[in-house]
Amino acid sequence: MALLEVNNLEVSFGLRSGGVKALRDINFKLDRGERIGVVGESGAGKSVLGFSILNLISNPGSITGGEILFEGKNLSKLSAGELRSVRGNRISMIFQDPMMTLNPVLTVGEQMIECLMAHRKIRKEDARNIALQKLKQVYIPSPETRLDQYPHELSGGMRQRIVIAIGLLMDPDIIIADEPTTALDVTIQAEIMELMLELCERNNVALILITHDLGVVSQVTQRTIVMYAGRIIEQGPTKEIINDAQHPYTQGLMNALPQMAVPGARLNQIRGAMPPLQRIPTGCAFNPRCDYVTETCKHNLPGFTESGSCLVACHMVAEMKREAAQAASLAQEVQS
Amino acid sequence: MIAFLIKRTLQAMVVMFVISLISFSIQDNLGDPLRELVGVSVSEVEREKLRDDLGLNDPFLVQYGRFAANALHGDLGTSYFFKEPALDVILKKLPATLELVFGATLIIVVLSVPLGVYSAIKPGSLLSRLVMGLSIVGISIPVFLTAIGLIYLFSIELGWMPSYGRGETSSLLGWDSGLFTGDGLHHLILPSFTLASIMLPLFIRLIRAEMMEVLQSEYVKFAWAKGISPWRIYFVHALKNTMLPVITVGGVQIGTMVAYTILTETVFQWPGMGFLFLEAVNRVDTPLIVAYLIVVGAIFVVTNTLVDLIYGLVNPTVKLAGGK
Ligand SMILES: Nc1ncnc2c1ncn2[C@@H]1O[C@H](COP(=O)(O)OP(=O)(O)OP(=O)(O)O)[C@@H](O)[C@H]1O
Ligand code: SF4
Ligand SMILES: [Mg+2]
């Protein structure tokens, strides 16, 4: 059994006014200790996916379909109390902007200790010691002093280390990190990412890493999910996706990377922009921006095609597979 | 801390200077004090002599200089009506007014925090909508109507509450107060609610709005993600951040409430500064009016300084010592 299994997940916003679906047909699995990257342009639904796992979608959003199985238990069906015993304990989250994630009026120590005391019956001094130990794990200098400081007394990088330490407090099975380095100074982004990788490897923690940065994905994760307009359009081993992307959208993302550009030339951005949720085109949502678009693409939603170890939602890829298969069987016939 | 106090003291001095200047200069516009001071039988020549004696014919700046010099010695002139130092007359009435403000503040704090927080947490519930609706109504009813309504219901119809006066007082450490006698407290209830009725709806709405905003914040979302109890999220994570702006606004409003006591005290014949002030205006008792304005100004300055001090102590991101 996979550690986490998401089946046909659907999340909608604003049920009263008709409602728009922010996520549809989300299917993926995460094994113990596995690191998975979630990429896609802004508004693709990456954060919504991250939050929906812990049922943290706030009003007017809600999970309107599918299931999220954590060790076989459906998280979206748990009572408030049961859910609380999963949040921050078995599955923890790291947010994007450490300037906003920590409460400005509580000390670092208070914010760490409360989490430990919520999940374990322990004395305050013991909780403090564990907090101290975790701060050491994330290489915070003079951790003893930090515990009694307020967030505003610390730098951004330091705060994100603390957020990571909070994420690790209960030795969780899964960490969901939503763009954990985007808000940080460029010079410390790599540092923080390395720290996360090290900690996940050492503690055998599974990671769902939401990011814009395909470079980070290739360094840190084993598998990658590519999202577009609320759906997964390609998923598979990171190596395959990075080296040999099948879906035109993924290819577009790869070509847009600065490393891919000819020096001096303009970046190869995908033309157009992702449609808002209310105006997702019929058929393949990517069709208005796609260079390979056909009539089929405009009317029919592409299903998933296996390509290598990847799953790709694209008519063209399906077509090519079919042709390749035909060619192969033809060749076989000819041979025999 | 020392720097903060010095800065605030300087600020307070400037503010008090402006207040004294304003209140002194309006006394010219309040009518002729001589009319009150002497009867009609006094001749014009005698009046003119009296004016000269009182210094009323000197240039404005000379008059103000004299006034300010005296004021610095605690002498704000002598009440024409009471024939006593104006400041003493005012200060004798101060406890009654402060009690009223204290009662109203207590009511506001005790009611607005739970109601504001509740209606922020459960915005759709029946109680929240009731509270929000009533608060709109509350804001739009004038104070004297509230007072009359309360008196009619609780004093006349039900007979539970006294309808006027301050009741029995007792003295504690030289403070003559109604807070320490049952009768005094009994008399305090209706006027306090009346005075509170202006600010209470505003505070409920303010706390609700702030709390709702805080509940949307990333750090509250992060707190949920940590799996801590809702109780802790609402009352430790959210409430503390909610109250910071409320304290600032609240401090100013408490100062404002001192001014609102004029109406409440008049309706309930509460023997406080406000009641006295209205009488002084009717009698054109200029020194008393000026003294009142200066005392109220001083209360404003003191409460604002206290509020800033408290804000600095509650908010860890504010360093009292440093300037901005
Ligand atoms: N509270 C909300 N109310 C209504 N719609 C929302 C809400 N939160 C998210 N959405 C919608 O869900 C879609 C996906 O948002 P999401 O934040 O998951 O994007 P993202 O992929 O994380 O983008 P980014 O890279 O900018 O973080 C957006 O189009 C947005 O309109
Ligand atoms: S399905 Fe068609 S439009 Fe969509 S990505 Fe594939 S080729 Fe392009
Ligand atoms: Mg996001």
Side-chain angles (χ1 to χ4, degrees):
Chain A
M1 184 175 56
L3 180 62
L4 183 78
E5 191 176 330
V6 175
N7 294 322
N8 300 320
L9 179 66
E10 181 187 287
V11 171
S12 312
F13 280 100
L15 277 175
R16 257 183 242 160
S17 57
V20 288
K21 295 194 169 112
L23 292 182
R24 306 179 210 218
D25 300 329
I26 302 291
N27 289 286
F28 72 93
K29 285 186 183 144
L30 179 71
D31 285 325
R32 201 167 278 282
E34 186 182 26
R35 292 183 300 280
I36 198 165
V38 179
V39 297
E41 284 168 299
S42 199
K46 307 182 297 291
S47 298
V48 172
L49 174 58
F51 285 120
S52 63
I53 292 171
L54 279 180
N55 214 334
L56 277 171
I57 305 283
S58 47
N59 262 330
S62 61
I63 295 176
T64 44
E67 52 182 18
I68 298 159
L69 302 176
F70 173 66
E71 296 180 324
K73 275 181 310 207
N74 189 350
L75 291 185
S76 57
K77 290 275 183 298
L78 294 187
S79 71
E82 290 168 324
L83 198 57
R84 238 182 296 138
S85 68
V86 174
R87 288 176 178 165
N89 182 17
R90 311 297 309 280
I91 304 179
S92 57
M93 266 193 99
I94 295 171
F95 289 15
Q96 176 170 348
D97 190 349
M99 301 293 174
M100 322 274 277
T101 336
L102 294 171
N103 193 321
V105 302
L106 300 175
T107 63
V108 169
E110 284 172 307
Q111 300 189 52
M112 296 185 82
I113 290 166
E114 67 177 359
C115 182
L116 285 158
M117 305 212 13
H119 297 295
R120 263 192 226 168
K121 281 206 181 349
I122 55 174
R123 289 185 325 193
K124 212 163 186 164
E125 304 86 80
D126 298 332
R128 197 181 157 93
N129 279 331
I130 296 175
L132 207 59
Q133 188 193 322
K134 295 292 172 187
L135 286 184
K136 283 182 190 147
Q137 274 188 28
V138 296
Y139 307 112
I140 295 247
S142 42
E144 188 80 50
T145 344
R146 305 294 172 217
L147 280 181
D148 299 316
Q149 283 181 317
Y150 289 94
H152 74 274
E153 298 173 80
L154 306 165
S155 71
M158 200 79 92
R159 287 190 225 183
Q160 197 62 314
R161 282 172 197 269
I162 285 164
V163 173
I164 294 171
I166 292 176
L168 288 170
L169 276 175
M170 297 300 301
D171 301 312
D173 298 309
I174 304 176
I175 292 182
I176 302 168
D178 190 352
E179 314 209 25
T181 60
T182 316
L184 299 178
D185 207 276
V186 191
T187 50
I188 48 172
Q189 289 188 353
E191 229 173 81
I192 295 288
M193 217 53 245
E194 265 161 42
L195 172 71
M196 289 204 49
L197 178 59
E198 177 197 324
L199 293 169
C200 287
E201 274 182 333
R202 182 161 9 123
N203 304 314
N204 198 31
V205 182
L207 175 69
I208 297 178
L209 178 65
I210 296 168
T211 175
H212 279 110
D213 190 339
L214 287 162
V216 165
V217 168
S218 72
Q219 277 164 25
V220 175
T221 67
Q222 293 127 353
R223 290 195 331 112
T224 299
I225 290 175
V226 185
M227 293 188 64
Y228 187 80
R231 290 180 192 270
I232 294 178
I233 50 106
E234 181 165 11
Q235 64 171 308
T238 302
K239 274 208 189 77
E240 274 182 50
I241 291 196
I242 296 287
N243 297 327
D244 185 22
Q246 296 298 307
H247 196 284
Y249 176 64
T250 318
Q251 289 170 356
L253 287 182
M254 294 303 304
N255 289 333
L257 285 182
Q259 302 86 294
M260 293 293 184
V262 183
R266 285 187 56 204
L267 293 184
N268 302 309
Q269 296 296 343
I270 310 172
R271 65 189 158 86
M274 199 169 61
L277 296 177
Q278 298 82 356
R279 272 182 279 132
I280 293 178
T282 52
C284 172
F286 188 56
N287 82 65
R289 306 171 70 188
C290 183
D291 290 334
Y292 308 96
V293 59
T294 62
E295 268 314 299
T296 328
C297 301
K298 291 184 186 160
H299 304 295
N300 300 327
L301 189 71
F304 280 100
T305 311
E306 273 180 50
S307 166
S309 316
C310 294
L311 285 174
V312 190
C314 172
H315 290 303
M316 181 197 58
V317 175
E319 188 66 23
M320 278 170 20
K321 284 283 142 191
R322 209 160 32 237
E323 278 169 15
Q326 269 169 7
S329 63
L330 215 65
Q332 235 168 21
E333 268 174 44
V334 171
Q335 256 178 10
S336 58
Chain B
M1 187 71 185
I2 302 276
F4 171 82
L5 285 179
I6 292 174
K7 206 173 102 197
R8 293 311 304 240
T9 314
L10 287 175
Q11 275 177 11
M13 278 161 63
V14 173
V15 173
M16 286 314 297
F17 170 72
V18 174
I19 291 175
S20 71
L21 200 59
I22 294 174
S23 34
F24 181 74
S25 56
I26 56 174
Q27 65 179 0
D28 276 349
N29 305 317
L30 286 175
D32 187 357
L34 284 198
R35 208 186 60 213
E36 298 292 321
L37 217 52
V38 295
V40 269
S41 57
V42 182
S43 77
E44 193 53 45
V45 180
E46 276 171 294
R47 279 168 191 258
E48 206 43 47
K49 184 172 174 304
L50 207 55
R51 275 211 182 88
D52 271 341
D53 289 349
L54 286 169
L56 293 175
N57 286 333
D58 292 345
F60 177 79
L61 276 182
V62 173
Q63 288 194 44
Y64 176 72
R66 193 161 49 219
F67 165 79
N70 288 336
L72 286 179
H73 295 102
D75 175 10
L76 294 176
T78 304
S79 161
Y80 299 151
F81 180 79
F82 293 97
K83 313 278 189 266
E84 271 177 64
L87 191 60
D88 291 357
V89 177
I90 295 280
L91 290 183
K92 247 185 272 166
K93 302 287 186 179
L94 183 64
T97 297
L98 288 186
E99 268 167 40
L100 191 55
V101 171
F102 173 76
T105 307
L106 199 70
I107 290 169
I108 290 173
V109 171
V110 167
L111 290 181
S112 69
V113 174
L115 287 177
V117 167
Y118 177 81
S119 51
I121 296 174
K122 297 235 180 314
S125 80
L126 197 67
L127 181 60
S128 302
R129 278 187 276 175
L130 194 73
V131 168
M132 285 303 106
L134 283 179
S135 71
I136 287 277
V137 177
I139 287 174
S140 38
I141 297 183
V143 186
F144 70 92
L145 257 187
T146 313
I148 290 169
L150 287 177
I151 291 174
Y152 178 76
L153 185 63
F154 291 103
S155 306
I156 298 175
E157 283 296 314
L158 297 170
W160 292 350
M161 299 285 167
S163 61
Y164 67 90
R166 192 180 173 202
E168 200 182 303
T169 59
S170 66
S171 189
L172 190 88
L173 304 172
W175 179 276
D176 196 24
S177 170
L179 290 179
F180 314 119
T181 66
D183 188 49
L185 287 175
H186 197 196
H187 277 79
L188 188 59
I189 295 176
L190 283 191
S192 297
F193 268 97
T194 304
L195 187 57
S197 71
I198 322 157
M199 305 286 178
L200 182 60
L202 288 176
F203 271 85
I204 293 175
R205 299 185 81 86
L206 177 67
I207 290 175
R208 173 182 133 109
E210 290 292 340
M211 181 90 173
M212 286 180 97
E213 197 175 317
V214 170
L215 288 178
Q216 294 296 320
S217 70
E218 288 286 294
Y219 55 81
V220 166
K221 210 163 186 189
F222 187 60
W224 286 113
K226 287 198 290 191
I228 60 182
S229 69
W231 182 88
R232 202 175 153 85
I233 291 176
Y234 292 136
F235 293 100
V236 178
H237 280 260
L239 187 59
K240 219 170 161 187
N241 286 287
T242 301
M243 289 319 283
L244 287 179
V246 175
I247 288 174
T248 326
V249 178
V252 178
Q253 298 300 340
I254 288 177
T256 315
M257 222 149 57
V258 174
Y260 273 108
T261 54
I262 297 177
L263 256 171
T264 311
E265 288 182 1
T266 308
V267 177
F268 287 96
Q269 295 178 36
W270 187 263
M273 289 190 324
F275 193 26
L276 181 74
F277 174 70
L278 217 61
E279 287 177 331
V281 170
N282 283 333
R283 296 176 186 135
V284 201
D285 194 343
T286 320
L288 207 51
I289 294 172
V290 172
Y292 173 83
L293 292 177
I294 286 179
V295 167
V296 170
I299 292 175
F300 245 90
V301 170
V302 169
T303 42
N304 280 344
T305 309
L306 276 181
V307 163
D308 283 357
L309 201 66
I310 292 171
Y311 184 83
L313 293 179
V314 182
N315 187 352
T317 61
V318 173
K319 283 240 169 23
L320 286 183
K324 301 228 169 82

